[in-house]
Amino acid sequence: MELQTRQLRYFVAVAEELSFTRAAEKLHIAQQALSAQIKQLEQSLGVALLTRTTRSVTLTAAGAAFLEDASATLTAMDAAAERARSLQRRENERLVLGFGEGAALILTEPILSTFRDRHPGVTIEMRQFNYDDPSAGLNDRSVDVAFVRSPISTDGIDFVHLFSEPLMVALPTDHALADRAAVRASELLCEPLLGAACTDPAWNAYWELDEHRDGTPAPVVSRSTTLLEEYQKVAAGVGIVVTTAAARWVPYPGVTLAPILDAAPNEIMVARHRDTDSALVRSFIDTALRVRDARPDLVARLSEPDFDDRTMPTFIPY
């Protein structure tokens, strides 16, 4: 026996109205067609559902029982259809991902790949931000979630730690410290410094090594918005710049890098604004943490790098 959803809806309409005329008007079909569909339904069931007279329509005992179950069936079917449509709407959503220099480095690709596998219908729009916005779009809510570097003093942002990365200093190749395997922050304090074109005081204080200066202002001689701009200025002898270990993967003529032994490592985080919360954003953050935890080999290469290895690592799927 095959029952059509349309026949169930037609029957429920007649049972609720107890009138073929009113039910036909409600369903926007001809009364004759409605009557024919009800008869087909009764024939399929082998049961009389309605008692018809010239003046009234009433439910039989079987019809009353069938009405209860048919109504529940239609309600369940409608709910199932709406859940499917809702899922498709969510899967067809867009996630705007902000990121600064390097994003999450060699964890970026596996995070994005895993997230796409979990949400194949979601479009990921990636937007890069320079040093002038260390929040990577979270400040003005132009992104949903972002890979950012610490510290950021903006209120209302929730940060989740991914990994930490040691600091290095970029020096001109003819600098007195250029042949050193490593340096200390105290050796850099009097050097002309290239700062970031940024208005966030916490960000500037960190990258200008303020924690080592005892309140003395850093001798910032120029400010830049990108790593390559900094490198060009370093190579030209304008000043030195504090950067991270990943900078060794961007070789540049005239620039030498050395680890800063006593500088606090930089923290890379995945972050969202508290006003920009959704199941999709939470899923992205969860994906980032799962990938981080599943790839201790990659995290180790970032947190405890071989400073002499200047080769960009090749992504190996897991």
Side-chain angles (χ1 to χ4, degrees):
M1 178 181 62
E2 294 185 3
L3 299 180
Q4 299 180 14
T5 304
R6 179 178 59 184
Q7 290 177 337
L8 295 182
R9 295 191 188 280
Y10 286 177
F11 168 71
V12 170
V14 174
E16 290 176 346
E17 297 293 337
L18 293 179
S19 166
F20 278 87
T21 301
R22 291 193 298 272
E25 292 175 351
K26 180 179 180 180
L27 296 168
H28 304 290
I29 63 172
Q31 182 175 335
Q32 184 177 2
L34 175 60
S35 179
Q37 288 293 322
I38 298 301
K39 286 182 180 179
Q40 289 180 15
L41 175 61
E42 290 178 318
Q43 290 172 358
S44 297
L45 295 172
V47 172
L49 301 173
L50 300 167
T51 300
R52 307 164 179 81
T53 69
T54 56
R55 294 187 177 183
S56 66
V57 176
T58 58
L59 286 166
T60 65
F66 186 72
L67 173 62
E68 182 177 347
D69 291 338
S71 297
T73 297
L74 290 173
T75 298
M77 291 180 65
D78 289 342
E82 178 54 33
R83 282 196 296 271
R85 286 191 291 266
S86 177
L87 178 61
Q88 179 170 301
R89 285 195 298 269
R90 291 198 300 272
E91 289 298 300
N92 288 331
E93 287 179 339
R94 180 185 65 162
L95 182 77
V96 183
L97 171 65
F99 61 97
E101 291 278 3
L105 301 177
I106 54 177
L107 281 180
T108 305
E109 186 173 353
I111 289 172
L112 295 182
S113 178
T114 303
F115 182 77
R116 290 190 183 101
D117 289 342
R118 294 178 69 175
H119 302 277
V122 173
T123 298
I124 303 176
E125 180 180 337
M126 300 181 68
R127 298 182 185 174
Q128 182 171 356
F129 292 81
N130 296 327
Y131 298 153
D132 53 356
D133 183 7
S135 79
L138 293 175
N139 269 347
D140 60 8
R141 297 169 178 78
S142 61
V143 303
D144 301 310
V145 64
F147 292 125
V148 298
R149 289 183 175 274
S150 64
I152 300 173
S153 58
T154 304
D155 293 331
I157 297 179
D158 287 335
F159 302 97
V160 179
H161 172 83
L162 287 178
F163 60 91
S164 295
E165 186 186 13
L167 295 189
M168 300 186 80
V169 59
L171 305 159
T173 53
D174 59 355
H175 194 280
L177 298 174
D179 60 350
R180 295 276 295 278
V183 299
R184 294 191 173 276
S186 59
E187 299 177 271
L188 305 174
L189 301 184
C190 294
E191 296 289 337
L193 187 68
L194 302 176
C198 174
T199 59
D200 188 323
W203 175 272
N204 288 335
Y206 174 81
W207 294 103
E208 294 168 14
L209 302 176
D210 277 12
E211 68 172 341
H212 299 274
R213 297 184 182 277
D214 295 326
T216 302
V220 177
V221 295
S222 179
R223 294 193 177 274
S224 307
T225 58
T226 68
L227 176 63
L228 288 180
E229 183 182 349
E230 290 177 332
Y231 268 16
Q232 289 169 348
K233 293 177 181 178
V234 171
V238 176
I240 67 170
V241 67
V242 175
T243 184
T244 67
R248 72 192 190 282
W249 295 332
V250 188
Y252 197 89
V255 175
T256 295
L257 294 164
I260 307 175
L261 295 176
D262 53 347
N266 187 241
E267 185 179 8
I268 289 81
M269 302 168 289
V270 58
R272 67 169 181 86
H273 201 285
R274 290 177 194 144
D275 295 340
T276 310
D277 187 23
S278 70
L280 206 57
V281 168
R282 291 193 296 272
S283 179
F284 184 87
I285 294 173
D286 176 71
T287 298
L289 294 177
R290 287 176 181 269
V291 170
R292 187 269 316 271
D293 293 342
R295 296 306 304 265
D297 56 324
L298 296 184
V299 174
R301 295 191 68 173
L302 297 169
S303 299
E304 302 173 7
D306 177 356
F307 292 105
D308 294 326
D309 182 3
R310 304 301 170 94
T311 304
M312 170 73 78
T314 302
F315 168 62
I316 302 174
Y318 64 97

